[in-house]
Amino acid sequence: MIKGIIFDLDGTLVTSNLDFAMMKAQLGCPRENDLLEFVDTLPSPYMREEAMALIHQHEMQDAHQAEFIPGAAQVVEQLHHRGFPMAIVTRNFAKAAQTKLARCNLPIDIILTRDDAPAKPDPTALNMIAQKWGLPSTACMYVGDYLYDIEAAHNAQMISCLYIPNATPEYSSKADITFNNWETLLMLIEQKNLKFQHQLA
């Protein structure tokens, strides 16, 4: 049964126009590599610091343009009124994430960034939130829009929920729940919990 809900931020709750191809090109990161993992492999602290400074610059520019994805605000408000504990886990750094929260006035007070825990798909941040809520991980759902979000949820033994606003990616079949319209998410949660209750009956 879903009792707590954790969200990704960029591309899930709020818009993001980060150009990862450009950042990778500027840093000499191969297109197929993960950008944060690549930075960690740079040979000197100075190079890593310079690389992160460039990434921070891009993230802050993006943060000042962020807006709610259509329908997300209303669903978050309804979940809030229904008493679901909610949190955010993002690969953003803290300042950019807080800027986006302030711009969009989200009623979510728990947010963990890559400054707080290893970046997804590492499950540490998700597990930290479940522990804070006093819930088993299996009673929590993680909602995101990318493969890393599905992997993080599974690594934490949580229900994975994939938001698919456009073309369906090949990895969508790995998610426990998928949706392409925010208005349908509440119904999917209710169906999941009702099915669980019937199984117990």
Side-chain angles (χ1 to χ4, degrees):
M1 190 168 180
I2 300 168
K3 295 183 178 179
I5 303 170
I6 307 171
F7 297 99
D8 171 47
L9 187 60
D10 289 357
T12 301
L13 289 176
V14 303
T15 59
S16 175
N17 295 305
L18 282 172
D19 189 336
F20 288 99
M22 178 189 293
M23 285 192 282
K24 287 180 178 182
Q26 290 174 334
L27 294 173
C29 173
R31 292 179 66 90
E32 67 275 10
N33 286 25
D34 179 83
L35 187 59
L36 297 179
E37 290 179 0
F38 172 79
V39 172
D40 285 341
T41 66
L42 292 175
S44 75
Y46 174 77
M47 293 175 69
R48 293 192 291 272
E49 184 177 330
E50 287 293 298
M52 288 309 303
L54 177 67
I55 293 172
H56 287 172
Q57 181 182 346
H58 281 279
E59 287 181 323
M60 286 307 300
Q61 289 173 351
D62 185 59
H64 288 296
Q65 301 169 16
E67 298 176 349
F68 258 123
I69 286 176
Q74 293 82 355
V75 171
V76 168
E77 284 290 347
Q78 289 182 61
L79 290 169
H80 177 66
H81 288 307
R82 294 184 188 193
F84 281 93
M86 292 181 290
I88 291 171
V89 170
T90 174
R91 282 168 64 97
N92 269 317
F93 85 115
K95 187 175 180 180
Q98 292 294 347
T99 298
K100 290 182 177 185
L101 290 184
R103 274 183 62 84
C104 298
N105 194 28
L106 279 161
I108 299 176
D109 57 5
I110 300 175
I111 177 165
L112 296 183
T113 71
R114 66 172 185 263
D115 296 334
D116 303 303
K120 299 173 295 184
D122 187 290
T124 301
L126 300 185
N127 289 329
M128 288 168 64
I129 291 169
Q131 290 169 7
K132 182 177 181 66
W133 288 339
L135 291 174
S137 59
T138 52
C140 299
M141 180 173 76
Y142 186 53
V143 184
D145 69 319
Y146 187 58
L147 175 61
Y148 288 164
D149 302 315
I150 299 173
E151 292 175 340
H154 290 172
N155 290 340
Q157 297 185 312
M158 292 185 179
I159 299 164
S160 60
C161 182
L162 183 68
Y163 174 50
I164 310 172
N166 300 307
T168 302
E170 61 181 25
Y171 53 78
S172 64
S173 61
K174 298 181 180 181
D176 299 311
I177 299 171
T178 61
F179 70 106
N180 55 21
N181 185 304
W182 268 96
E183 284 70 24
T184 65
L185 183 60
L186 283 173
M187 179 184 66
L188 291 170
I189 293 171
E190 289 170 356
Q191 288 177 348
K192 185 84 171 175
N193 285 349
L194 192 61
K195 182 179 179 181
F196 179 83
Q197 289 170 349
H198 284 166
Q199 288 172 344
L200 291 181

